[in-house]
Amino acid sequence: MTVLKSNILLLAIFAVAGILFSGDKNMAVGQPCQGHIEGLITQCALFVQKNVPKTIPSPGCCGVIKSVDIPCVCQHITKDIERMIDMEKAVFVVRYCGRQLAQGTKCGSYTVPP
């Protein structure tokens, strides 16, 4: 069962990476999000997944969070991504790592609370 969960998580990480790297058709060509998106996925996925307890992110995750254009990433969060990650945990991780996410900011279909 643990192997199955690990395989599903790995598949989800690659799906998120593909979505983020492929960009949005409404976004201008050549305008990807700045920062280490692959690192964001590999370092932080554990801290934002659904159905696991909320935990404090690792220093590695926070290091990546500090380098990524969070508002840009938020613009590329799709319903498919939201099925895999807990948006409340994602906001917690971003804020814990010292990045500001203003109240009312849209991140996918999620609106950041105060």
Side-chain angles (χ1 to χ4, degrees), residues 13 46-47 62 67 82 86 101 111:
I13 289 170
L46 176 67
F47 307 104
C62 285
S67 74
E82 287 184 41
D86 183 320
L101 249 166
T111 302

Side-chain angles (χ1 to χ4, degrees), residues 56-71:
I56 293 174
S58 68
C61 175
C62 285
V64 174
I65 291 285
K66 292 175 182 176
S67 74
V68 173
D69 182 350
I70 298 297

Side-chain angles (χ1 to χ4, degrees), residues 11-109:
L11 179 62
I13 289 170
F14 284 117
V16 171
I19 291 165
L20 289 175
F21 286 124
S22 68
D24 186 335
K25 292 184 175 150
N26 296 324
M27 194 167 135
V29 174
Q31 297 288 324
C33 297
Q34 293 183 343
H36 189 25
I37 302 299
E38 183 178 339
L40 178 67
I41 296 163
T42 59
Q43 294 292 318
C44 300
L46 176 67
F47 307 104
V48 298
Q49 56 182 309
K50 290 186 175 192
N51 303 318
V52 296
K54 181 167 48 171
T55 58
I56 293 174
S58 68
C61 175
C62 285
V64 174
I65 291 285
K66 292 175 182 176
S67 74
V68 173
D69 182 350
I70 298 297
C72 179
V73 171
C74 279
Q75 291 176 4
H76 292 87
I77 299 292
T78 65
K79 294 279 187 196
D80 289 333
I81 294 171
E82 287 184 41
R83 283 188 204 106
M84 295 180 269
I85 65 172
D86 183 320
M87 294 305 293
E88 287 182 33
K89 288 181 190 173
V91 169
F92 166 78
V93 167
V94 168
R95 288 180 170 168
Y96 181 88
C97 293
R99 295 292 304 272
Q100 296 298 316
L101 249 166
Q103 172 185 350
T105 299
K106 292 290 282 180
C107 203
S109 66

